[in-house]
Amino acid sequence: MNSKLLRNLLFGLLVLGFFYYAYRYIEATVFLIGGEKYYLLFDDAMISMRYAYNLAHGLGPVWNAGERVEGFTNPLWVGFMALVHLLPIPLSKTSLVIQVSGAIFLAATLYFVRLIVEHFTDDLLTMLAAVALTAFYQPLHSWDLLGMEVSVLGLLLTAAVWLILKNEEGVAPRILRQRFGTFGSAATQGGAYVLLAVSTLVRFDMAVPFLVILTVLSVTQKQSRRGHLLWGLGLLVLFLGGQTLARYLYYGDLLPNTYYLKVEGWPFALRILRGLYALSHFIYYSNWVLFLLPLSLFFFRRDWKVTLLLAVIAGQLAYSVYVGGDAWEQHGGANRYIAIAMPLFFAGFAWAVEEIRRRAVGFLTTKDTKVHEGKTLEKRWAEVGSQLVVVVLLVIAMYNFNALIGDWKSIERWTFNRRPDYTAGNEHNLQIALALQEATSPGASIAVIGAGTIPYLLPDRYAIDILGKADPVIAHGPVRTPMSLVDVPSMRPGHMKWDYAHTFGELKPDVIVSIWEGTGDEAAPYLKDYVYGEIGDKLRIYLLKDSPNILWDKVLVPN
């Protein structure tokens, strides 16, 4: 069989295998209530979906009609979600479109992973290994198939890196360099810079890999440094400046509300310590030997391409430390910031394994052994044996990278013997939303901890975010979580501020779905005007006494 045909066939089978896995994954996240299927995303993604719903219905990118607070950091992704809401499908099915889109974006990422690996080596096993490790990495499923913008960011970053590698060669780039000199040399990377610039519209912190790539190219390609700076910095300033201006004009702020929520009031030193703590756990449970294996590429090939690949990965690790990690590190695996670089990591990992194997074979074999079919028998057996060793290593790596925080439950989730990660609370939130739809009237105000699913499914109710993603008063307020060295492991970005005097005392929501963990005594004085009633199927919530927005005949209140 033609080798190219074989490569395409095996790659195609891998992609089909991924699509089948994605189908199984999405079906494992479905909830069946009252004979209707409900597809739900990760709760934070559902926050973006509420903004998208309002945008699609002419209210603008807002959480509540008339309130301009940017409680999201992914404007282009919200715009994409808004397009989905123009389709004639019910709210119970809109998330399915986003999930399918995430699967398509990840599948496209697999294609660019293949191209990157094939740029460095023509070894078939290496290409298949990199693609398989990416396709079946559990954290990518959690972020990509549950509606987070990680799916499109991973695609844009991987495609940009491939364009940079590819455009260093070829006829068209040579013509540009000949006609336009150093500026033309940098212009060959224009497509990559455009993709990276667009990615900052998805999340503005994509400026980090943009700057990392620009720095590597400017330092390693001195003859075209001026062109890189003109192209790169020009596009970066244009796109970041443009969205900052738009944000200020619409929301009256230079940064998203969530930035202040996560960073303001958190001491820099403690934030870095928390980020280092999270990173050390990630590396430890990923098996630090396997995790550091891509660094061995520096021993085999020291050029700007290897530097680029590893610098992008290192940049995301450093950024994760800078922001203090993510709020869900206890789940294990790559967080949202690191996950977008994991396709590049797996490409580097598989390539490093192949380089080590190839050099080990060369070192162990001799030239004076009997020749058989153009190769020494010794080398032939060494090649076969080393390939088998690599296959075993890759199987171990696949298992190891998916055994998140060393917990067997994560393997059970990976194999669908348990519900996928990050879906545990979705059913409860769904039941609450459906019950509140029956027990409250439109316009009722509902305070929530999980600010995604419940507000999204109740678009005509006024939502109040207890943890402040869509509330500037809380976002600009003090951090309430204890701040000391011993408290570093318990710090959770975006979940460390609340103000019950404001949320419960001033806003007086009709319904309080729940209060933040461990704050019962603090909330108690503000709950005197509430009764702890029951809605739906034994769902307990706080209800404002005598509220006209509560249909009391639908509520069971204890005597």
Side-chain angles (χ1 to χ4, degrees):
M1 181 180 291
N2 180 276
S3 59
K4 184 176 181 180
L5 179 60
L6 178 62
R7 298 177 78 87
N8 290 338
L9 176 62
L10 294 177
F11 173 75
L13 289 174
L14 257 182
V15 173
L16 286 176
F18 162 72
F19 274 124
Y20 175 71
Y21 186 93
Y23 162 75
R24 291 281 309 277
Y25 185 98
I26 293 171
E27 285 301 305
T29 66
V30 173
F31 298 96
L32 182 64
I33 296 182
E36 182 173 4
K37 282 187 174 182
Y38 288 84
Y39 294 85
L40 299 175
L41 307 176
F42 180 62
D43 196 71
D44 265 32
M46 298 300 287
I47 296 176
S48 298
M49 289 283 275
R50 180 172 169 101
Y51 277 91
Y53 176 92
N54 287 332
L55 177 59
H57 287 78
L59 300 175
V62 296
W63 205 49
N64 288 312
E67 292 183 354
R68 296 191 177 187
V69 181
E70 189 181 8
F72 59 92
T73 53
N74 49 359
L76 197 59
W77 190 243
V78 169
F80 172 71
M81 288 176 161
L83 294 177
V84 173
H85 284 83
L86 297 177
L87 300 174
I89 53 178
L91 292 186
S92 60
K93 305 298 187 296
T94 48
S95 292
L96 173 60
V97 180
I98 304 299
Q99 289 181 287
V100 172
S101 300
I104 293 172
F105 290 141
L106 182 49
T109 303
L110 300 181
Y111 175 70
F112 287 106
V113 168
R114 171 188 174 175
L115 294 180
I116 289 173
V117 173
E118 291 181 337
H119 181 82
F120 293 112
T121 175
D122 60 358
D123 184 73
L124 177 61
L125 179 59
T126 301
M127 181 272 286
L128 295 175
V131 171
L133 287 169
T134 305
F136 301 105
Y137 182 52
Q138 193 171 177
L140 285 178
H141 304 149
S142 297
W143 305 125
D144 292 10
L145 302 181
L146 287 179
M148 299 301 285
E149 66 278 2
V150 171
S151 60
V152 72
L153 291 179
L155 171 59
L156 290 171
L157 181 59
T158 309
V161 169
W162 174 73
L163 280 175
I164 291 170
L165 298 175
K166 170 183 177 291
N167 287 338
E168 183 64 14
E169 304 166 355
V171 176
R174 285 200 298 273
I175 293 175
L176 284 173
R177 285 192 291 270
Q178 290 168 2
R179 292 188 177 182
F180 300 103
T182 58
F183 186 78
S185 180
T188 64
Q189 312 298 352
Y193 285 135
V194 169
L195 286 181
L196 292 169
V198 170
S199 73
T200 65
L201 297 178
V202 182
R203 276 188 68 95
F204 77 95
D205 53 12
M206 284 299 287
V208 173
F210 194 127
L211 288 171
V212 168
I213 290 172
L214 176 60
T215 300
V216 171
L217 295 180
S218 298
V219 171
T220 60
Q221 299 178 12
K222 298 179 180 179
Q223 74 283 359
S224 54
R225 179 176 298 164
R226 182 170 175 270
H228 281 299
L229 292 175
L230 286 172
W231 269 98
L233 288 181
L235 284 170
L236 185 61
V237 170
L238 176 64
F239 276 70
L240 287 184
Q243 64 177 296
T244 301
L245 178 61
R247 176 182 298 116
Y248 182 77
L249 293 175
Y250 190 82
Y251 294 106
D253 224 329
L254 294 175
L255 292 168
N257 190 64
T258 50
Y259 172 85
Y260 302 109
L261 178 70
K262 294 180 179 180
V263 175
E264 200 173 79
W266 193 1
F268 177 78
L270 289 179
R271 192 172 81 238
I272 297 300
L273 284 175
R274 204 275 182 173
L276 289 171
Y277 173 84
L279 179 62
S280 65
H281 269 236
F282 169 57
I283 293 177
Y284 175 79
Y285 285 110
S286 296
N287 187 322
W288 66 271
V289 175
L290 294 179
F291 188 82
L292 297 177
L293 201 59
L295 289 177
S296 64
L297 292 173
F298 276 126
F299 295 102
F300 308 129
R301 177 170 170 171
R302 297 185 181 182
D303 61 16
W304 69 268
K305 296 181 178 182
V306 172
T307 301
L308 177 71
L309 194 67
L310 298 182
V312 171
I313 299 169
Q316 291 308 114
L317 296 175
Y319 180 67
S320 176
V321 171
Y322 172 75
V323 297
D326 211 347
W328 303 279
E329 301 287 357
Q330 73 274 16
H331 291 257
N335 62 31
R336 291 175 297 162
Y337 314 113
I338 297 173
I340 66 170
M342 288 307 290
L344 299 177
F345 170 83
F346 289 128
F349 176 84
W351 179 28
V353 170
E354 166 57 16
E355 289 290 342
I356 293 171
R357 184 203 67 81
R358 191 162 58 86
R359 280 164 172 74
V361 169
F363 177 78
L364 294 174
T365 55
T366 60
K367 296 181 180 180
D368 57 353
T369 315
K370 178 182 176 183
V371 175
H372 179 68
E373 295 183 2
K375 290 185 178 181
T376 65
L377 287 175
E378 181 179 343
K379 188 168 184 177
R380 184 185 181 91
W381 283 108
E383 287 281 353
V384 173
S386 64
Q387 292 281 6
L388 291 175
V389 170
V390 166
V391 169
V392 172
L393 174 62
L394 292 173
V395 171
I396 293 173
M398 176 78 78
Y399 168 83
N400 181 88
F401 289 135
N402 284 288
L404 310 181
I405 61 173
D407 186 0
W408 182 253
K409 291 179 181 178
S410 61
I411 297 298
E412 292 180 334
R413 295 188 185 99
W414 188 45
T415 55
F416 302 119
N417 290 312
R418 288 177 179 264
R419 273 198 182 272
D421 210 0
Y422 299 103
T423 62
N426 279 358
E427 184 172 17
H428 178 73
N429 289 336
L430 172 60
Q431 291 173 339
I432 289 282
L434 295 178
L436 284 175
Q437 194 169 37
E438 299 296 324
T440 62
S441 59
S445 56
I446 300 172
V448 292
I449 293 293
T453 300
I454 296 173
Y456 174 73
L457 293 175
L458 299 171
D460 54 359
R461 270 67 167 180
Y462 182 84
I464 298 173
D465 185 1
I466 294 172
L467 296 181
K469 293 181 185 66
D471 190 330
V473 174
I474 295 175
H476 288 282
V479 172
R480 305 299 303 278
T481 297
M483 293 276 110
S484 70
L485 289 176
V486 298
D487 298 311
V488 165
S490 63
M491 295 175 183
R492 295 180 62 188
H495 296 70
M496 300 190 296
K497 295 182 180 182
W498 56 89
D499 186 345
Y500 292 148
H502 164 69
T503 304
F504 301 159
E506 296 176 13
L507 299 182
K508 285 287 184 183
D510 296 301
V511 174
I512 300 173
V513 173
S514 61
I515 60 175
W516 186 230
E517 55 195 40
T519 63
D521 291 341
E522 185 179 347
Y526 304 100
L527 299 178
K528 293 179 180 179
D529 294 331
Y530 290 82
V531 294
Y532 199 49
E534 186 176 299
I535 60 174
D537 186 15
K538 299 180 181 179
L539 300 170
R540 305 296 297 274
I541 59 174
Y542 297 95
L543 302 163
L544 183 63
K545 297 175 182 178
D546 302 321
S547 169
N549 293 316
I550 296 174
L551 307 180
W552 292 100
D553 59 325
K554 303 287 186 179
V555 175
L556 178 62
V557 179
N559 296 326

